[in-house]
Amino acid sequence: MRKTLSFLKKQYQLGQKITCLTAYDATYAHWVAASGVDMILVGDSLGMVVQGHQTTLPVSVDEMVYHTQMVQRGNQQAWCIADMPFMSDTTLDSALTAAARLMKEAGANMVKLEGGQRILKTVQALSEMGVPVCGHLGLLPQSVQKYGYKIQKNDPDSAQILLDDALALQAHGAEMLVLECVPSELAEKVTSTLSIPVIGIGSGRQTSGQVLVLHDMLGVTMGKSPRFSKDFLAESDSIQSALALYVHQVTTGEFPSASHEVG
Ligand code: KIV
């Protein structure tokens, strides 16, 4: 049976870590879900790791629908989050249309949007329509041309902006939040302030759960793997055991360790 939002909320309330990995096709989605991973993210990182682009920007709504459909054919157990790609939410109308396609045509359980104040009205509208929404703050890959791939600053003003954005997303109906490359102390503060699960990537060990890009955690990234990731396949004899090791180490708090901290 597929995990539900209320199942994940209960896990969060019990203080049990939530595990998430990206997947982009049916076979990997099948094995990721079979390993016990709670959530599959069909990330627009597919633009880089599957399509070979330099950034996530070229990914279209059609491509997100196509990959989410494939994932949901292979995935029977995990909650499935689909990314709203760059510029799919320039108007409320276009955001609702993209989210409708991801939910109705592709079978996503939740959509994820990057940004803070700019997306609040969209988050609220989606939430009122019954669409579960996951926010994404910290390093925003869709804004890479403007800000670069930078770790979130931790000075008091920047930290307050991040915390305010996180609280505003929650107040407007976000059910979950991804924090990317946020210094661990700040990620811990956001996690303890919010009452929704915070899923970290490169944001230390105190978040409610962890997400990694599948290719990074299998050590098959083209070029350099991010410092916050770990090659689980290097310590395993198969892809299936690498996935199980990831679930085990996130659940027990062994991953991420201090050596995976970015700031
Ligand atoms: O697209 C993606 O894979 C993501 C993760 C980096 C969280 O958004």
Side-chain angles (χ1 to χ4, degrees):
M1 213 178 82
R2 196 185 298 286
K3 285 173 185 163
T4 59
L5 190 55
S6 57
F7 175 91
L8 295 165
K9 281 184 179 170
K10 191 155 285 167
Q11 211 174 320
Y12 162 72
Q13 278 152 10
L14 293 170
Q16 294 166 355
K17 296 280 184 191
I18 298 172
T19 53
C20 182
L21 284 174
T22 66
Y24 314 101
D25 66 27
T27 301
Y28 276 102
H30 169 83
W31 287 112
V32 167
S35 72
V37 163
D38 298 308
M39 308 193 295
I40 290 180
L41 169 65
V42 189
D44 60 358
S45 50
L46 70 87
M48 299 170 80
V49 299
V50 177
Q51 298 174 331
H53 294 297
Q54 291 299 310
T55 70
T56 62
L57 273 54
V59 177
S60 67
V61 174
D62 281 346
E63 288 162 348
M64 287 307 305
V65 168
Y66 174 66
H67 283 275
T68 306
Q69 283 171 336
M70 288 193 278
V71 163
Q72 289 298 65
R73 280 181 212 127
N75 165 36
Q76 308 304 323
Q77 302 97 329
W79 178 253
C80 176
I81 309 170
D83 261 341
M84 299 263 286
F86 179 58
M87 290 290 193
S88 59
D89 61 343
T90 46
T91 66
L92 193 51
D93 244 25
S94 67
L96 294 179
T97 305
R101 291 197 61 201
L102 290 167
M103 303 279 291
K104 290 169 66 152
E105 279 177 52
N109 304 121
M110 176 177 239
V111 298
K112 176 164 81 61
L113 287 88
E114 294 183 14
Q117 299 298 322
R118 182 189 69 78
I119 64 164
L120 294 179
K121 281 198 183 126
T122 307
V123 171
Q124 180 160 9
L126 287 168
S127 174
E128 283 171 1
M129 299 274 175
V131 177
V133 177
C134 178
H136 183 149
L137 292 172
L139 190 160
L140 304 179
Q142 290 176 8
S143 303
V144 62
Q145 302 292 7
K146 188 163 177 191
Y147 302 113
Y149 288 115
K150 295 234 174 70
I151 296 164
Q152 161 77 36
K153 290 195 211 135
N154 201 12
D155 60 275
D157 286 351
S158 314
Q160 193 57 53
I161 290 172
L162 183 86
L163 190 58
D164 290 347
D165 278 350
L167 282 164
L169 286 167
Q170 175 179 273
H172 284 76
E175 309 273 1
M176 207 176 278
L177 177 67
V178 165
L179 281 187
E180 181 164 356
C181 290
V182 171
S184 53
E185 254 178 56
L186 178 53
E188 184 176 358
K189 172 110 203 260
V190 174
T191 305
S192 61
T193 305
L194 296 195
S195 51
I196 55 174
V198 174
I199 310 301
I201 173 162
S203 301
R205 58 199 304 175
Q206 302 299 344
T207 51
S208 329
Q210 298 290 330
V211 56
L212 282 180
V213 169
L214 183 66
H215 294 57
D216 292 342
M217 62 79 68
L218 292 177
V220 294
T221 315
M222 290 188 287
K224 241 173 67 185
S225 239
R227 196 168 82 223
F228 56 74
S229 191
K230 170 176 166 173
D231 180 353
F232 286 83
L233 189 53
E235 293 176 19
S236 315
D237 54 13
S238 68
I239 287 176
Q240 286 87 341
S241 6
L243 296 170
L245 185 62
Y246 171 74
V247 172
H248 174 75
Q249 292 202 351
V250 171
T251 311
T252 56
E254 280 167 79
F255 177 83
S257 68
S259 66
H260 301 107
E261 304 237 331
V262 293

